[in-house]
Amino acid sequence: MIGTEYYIIIGVISLFSWLISNTLKRKFAQHSKIQLRNGMSGAEIAEKMLADHGITNVSVISTPGRLTDHYNPKDKTVNLSEAVYNQRNAASAAVAAHEVGHAVQHAQAYKWLEMRSNLVPMVTVSSKFSQYLIMGGLVLGAASSLGYWVLAGGVVLMGAATLFSFITLPVEYDASNRALAWLKNKNIVTNEEFKGSKDALKWAARTYLVAALGSLAMLLYWAMKLMSSRD
């Protein structure tokens, strides 16, 4: 069944996720105090970045919640949390420009974004059923033929989710790089404001990195369990 190593891995992943998440919240609170000299809100920054890239078919809208910002390629909307949409600081500038970075990726057919989009249907299935298959394989007995193949199915689905999390990394880092380059080249922010925006995006990216490494650790654990069941 499940060994002590499993709980150690879960504990380590949870600890790092908690540390990164708390640091991210603290950094955003810190950089939210740096008010933009130009007085532009997150929504205005997003709209200007879209216009500067010649993108006219994407809307900027406000969405409830905190850190709920995202780009929706299906309806072509840049969704900014209420604080980012309305506030006028280095943190909101960073997030708004980052999400528009995804819209620019979409408009320019950025290959990593297209790969991630193609994997979404598979990952939707794998996220729902991989754990059930793995637990089912353990209950049936991984050493038995049926239990082995049920567990193997769960590992394969988990592998798809892990692949998705790693493909997400270049997508997120590229969107941040596009955002920072635009903010600097267009003189949207001062040097101090730019440093705040850059720091905020750096910690946001680390949440994706920790998630990817955590997913890989769990995949390797169950893959080793699968192989050892045949010994």
Side-chain angles (χ1 to χ4, degrees):
M1 295 297 287
I2 299 176
T4 305
E5 303 94 337
Y6 176 83
Y7 297 104
I8 293 175
I9 293 172
I10 289 293
V12 171
I13 293 171
S14 299
L15 175 61
F16 274 97
S17 296
W18 178 80
L19 288 173
I20 295 296
S21 177
N22 273 12
T23 303
L24 175 62
K25 291 176 182 177
R26 180 169 56 82
K27 289 289 185 179
F28 266 78
Q30 174 187 341
H31 300 312
S32 292
K33 297 176 182 178
I34 304 175
Q35 297 301 308
L36 295 185
R37 181 186 58 183
N38 61 24
M40 294 176 69
S41 67
E44 291 168 341
I45 285 173
E47 288 167 352
K48 177 167 175 52
M49 186 171 172
L50 287 170
D52 285 352
H53 285 84
I55 300 174
T56 59
N57 60 347
V58 173
S59 302
V60 179
I61 62 176
S62 177
T63 187
R66 183 183 181 190
L67 299 179
T68 52
D69 312 88
H70 65 281
Y71 170 67
N72 188 334
K74 290 185 178 180
D75 59 11
K76 293 187 176 181
T77 56
V78 171
N79 299 262
L80 302 179
S81 59
E82 294 169 344
V84 171
Y85 187 92
N86 294 304
Q87 291 182 5
R88 306 165 189 274
N89 53 58
S92 61
V95 174
H98 173 88
E99 297 308 333
V100 174
H102 288 308
V104 176
Q105 289 173 337
H106 189 195
Q108 297 179 357
Y110 181 59
K111 65 178 182 179
W112 290 103
L113 180 64
E114 291 186 332
M115 288 173 63
R116 187 176 73 168
S117 298
N118 291 335
L119 283 174
V120 167
M122 182 187 298
V123 172
T124 300
V125 172
S126 67
S127 62
K128 290 181 180 179
F129 297 107
S130 60
Q131 289 292 343
Y132 290 114
L133 289 175
I134 286 173
M135 294 305 161
L138 293 177
V139 170
L140 291 171
S144 68
S145 179
L146 178 59
Y148 174 84
W149 288 111
V150 171
L151 179 59
V155 171
V156 169
L157 289 182
M158 186 173 286
T162 301
L163 176 63
F164 180 83
S165 67
F166 274 91
I167 288 177
T168 294
L169 293 180
V171 173
E172 295 300 327
Y173 278 95
D174 178 76
S176 290
N177 290 337
R178 290 173 188 264
L180 292 171
W182 178 80
L183 288 171
K184 187 173 185 178
N185 294 337
K186 295 293 182 177
N187 296 314
I188 302 298
V189 292
T190 64
N191 288 335
E192 181 189 3
E193 294 162 0
F194 179 80
K195 290 177 182 177
S197 296
K198 186 176 181 179
D199 192 42
L201 290 181
K202 177 181 71 177
W203 283 98
R206 286 176 179 175
T207 63
Y208 293 98
L209 179 59
V210 169
L213 293 176
S215 182
L216 178 62
M218 292 306 304
L219 175 64
L220 293 176
Y221 173 83
W222 288 115
M224 287 188 289
K225 279 287 186 182
L226 180 65
M227 291 186 288
S228 65
S229 70
R230 280 305 202 191
D231 294 341

